[in-house]
Amino acid sequence: MSETSPRLRAELDGIPTYKPGRPAAADGPVAYKLSSNENPYPPLPGVLESAVAAAHAFNRYPDMACTGLMNELADRFGVPVEHLATGTGSVGVAQQLVQATSGPGDEVMYAWRSFEAYPIIAQISGARSVQVPLTAGEAHDLDAMAGAITDRTRLIFVCNPNNPTGTVVRRAELERFLDRVPSDVLVVLDEAYREFNRDLDVPDGIEIYRDRPNVAVLRTFSKAYGLAGLRVGFAVAHPPVAAALRKTAVPFGVSQLAQDAAVASLRAEDELLGRVGSLVCERARVYEGLVAQGWTVPETQANFVWLRLGERTADFAAVCDAAGVTVRPFPGEGVRITIGEEEANDLLLRTAGAFRKEL
Ligand SMILES: Cc1ncc(COP(=O)(O)O)c(C=O)c1O
């Protein structure tokens, strides 16, 4: 037998690994998970029932075209079905968008720091990542991004609100930026946290994309809708891009449980968005609490807050772990803290306050 291992693509060398948020400790005292931007509420009874009903037929493949979900989305967002594509979470759809546009020698641009999957999916495609630093205010620097476009740029992610900083891009600056992007470069507005936004100057990507053929919008059922474990997200894009997404999709990637639960969630939207409203109130409480303790916290429109702790990042995360609340450290940079249930937020505030006093 030969000692040689199978030949793998050199592009995979040195690929960063995706670090999921640490789960809450199974044994410790009370443990809360504020590390993955999940929704802390359990599924609504009706949503759970749809998923359970679908589970009775999981010996069958799901509807590959996601017909019921596509029709529901088309109605809900007022877009034609041909402008929609679903995938295994919006990260799955983001990966398909990169595969559909970018290969070796091409450039994928995004702000940095932003969603940690972007460098991974760019590298898997063999494309080069162009990371444009955030401003001092932790927001997208759209002027610098426009200035960094080259004839190799194929796709630009604009994460709005931005993960992990929570900062937003407002309408006027986004329009100005889009006017500067060549029409053959795809701009992906990643709106995973859209439902948590309360800033009226932040545009709805689905309005922006309508008369811009090079804009696609990513949305997910994982955050506000609370279906992170079921893996379903979607894109709204013009027909050539949406068709490319259908070509790059893993066949049968979205399970019937996910499709039916997503439909049920859209039908229960009022109740779900009521829960989002409660999280937004909690966000204000956490934000104000941290500011009152003396922290510098960028204004956030997502379901998390960002503390740029630099060298103290690992210590802060360790103290939180010991207190029974897991946060998401980015070593040497900062900590992202998801807004969770009231008790979790209380515990986080107490822990952050004690840490602050020791500084
Ligand atoms: C900005 C952003 N986009 C996309 C995703 C992917 O979410 P999902 O694949 O669960 O839809 C996330 C998840 O953390 C995110 O933060």
Side-chain angles (χ1 to χ4, degrees), residues 18 37 88-92 115 118 159 163 190 192-193 220 222-223 231-233:
Y18 189 101
N37 295 345
T88 54
S90 57
V91 72
F115 181 34
Y118 300 154
C159 188
N163 174 10
D190 183 344
Y193 302 98
T220 182
S222 297
K223 310 295 179 183
R231 312 308 302 129
V232 53

Side-chain angles (χ1 to χ4, degrees), residues 18-318:
Y18 189 101
K19 291 195 194 64
R22 259 166 50 85
D27 42 5
V30 188
Y32 297 100
K33 183 180 178 202
L34 300 183
S35 54
S36 293
N37 295 345
E38 293 154 335
N39 192 318
Y41 297 109
L44 286 176
V47 175
L48 186 60
E49 275 161 26
S50 322
V52 169
H56 288 287
F58 68 38
N59 54 315
R60 305 287 178 195
Y61 285 104
D63 170 4
M64 193 164 120
C66 298
T67 317
L69 176 55
M70 295 281 265
N71 288 334
E72 199 78 22
L73 287 169
D75 264 10
R76 165 67 182 79
F77 293 104
V79 297
V81 167
E82 312 76 65
H83 289 217
L84 288 165
T86 51
T88 54
S90 57
V91 72
V93 189
Q95 178 158 18
Q96 291 169 245
L97 285 166
V98 173
Q99 281 171 340
T101 54
S102 314
D106 295 332
E107 293 173 356
V108 172
M109 187 192 296
Y110 46 87
W112 200 246
R113 176 168 284 280
S114 188
F115 181 34
E116 69 172 312
Y118 300 154
I120 299 172
I121 60 186
Q123 196 168 332
I124 290 173
S125 268
R128 194 170 85 79
S129 273
V130 175
Q131 302 184 333
V132 178
L134 296 171
T135 63
E138 310 278 10
H140 278 66
D141 188 341
L142 290 182
D143 279 339
M145 289 176 74
I149 295 172
T150 70
D151 58 2
R152 305 304 325 200
T153 310
R154 294 288 175 272
L155 182 148
I156 304 173
F157 284 110
V158 176
C159 188
N160 199 23
N162 188 47
N163 174 10
T165 59
T167 51
V168 290
V169 169
R170 297 195 172 80
R171 184 175 289 103
E173 55 173 332
L174 182 61
E175 300 267 14
R176 213 168 38 240
F177 171 72
L178 293 173
D179 288 344
R180 290 179 66 184
V181 177
S183 58
D184 62 350
V185 173
L186 182 67
V187 179
V188 179
L189 304 177
D190 183 344
E191 297 188 336
Y193 302 98
R194 164 80 196 161
E195 296 82 0
F196 298 96
N197 174 62
R198 292 293 180 271
D199 181 335
L200 297 178
D201 283 337
V202 175
D204 177 343
I206 297 179
E207 294 313 316
I208 297 279
Y209 106 99
R210 289 184 195 274
D211 53 2
R212 293 186 183 266
N214 67 330
V215 171
V217 183
L218 279 181
R219 296 277 181 93
T220 182
F221 283 95
S222 297
K223 310 295 179 183
Y225 295 89
L227 303 184
L230 286 180
R231 312 308 302 129
V232 53
F234 62 98
V236 184
H238 287 270
V241 176
L245 285 172
R246 279 188 274 282
K247 289 182 192 164
T248 50
V250 171
F252 305 110
V254 182
S255 73
Q256 201 63 48
L257 276 72
Q259 294 181 37
D260 292 0
V263 168
S265 302
L266 287 168
R267 293 184 182 164
E269 206 172 32
D270 287 348
E271 209 169 338
L272 283 171
L273 295 184
R275 290 173 158 195
V276 167
S278 309
L279 289 171
V280 167
C281 292
E282 278 295 291
R283 173 178 79 198
R285 190 170 74 83
V286 170
Y287 174 87
E288 282 153 23
L290 291 169
V291 169
Q293 290 170 6
W295 298 99
T296 302
V297 194
E299 205 184 312
T300 173
Q301 292 294 338
N303 64 337
F304 49 84
V305 292
W306 170 246
L307 296 181
R308 188 167 283 281
L309 283 150
E311 294 312 309
R312 298 190 306 260
T313 297
D315 286 350
F316 182 87

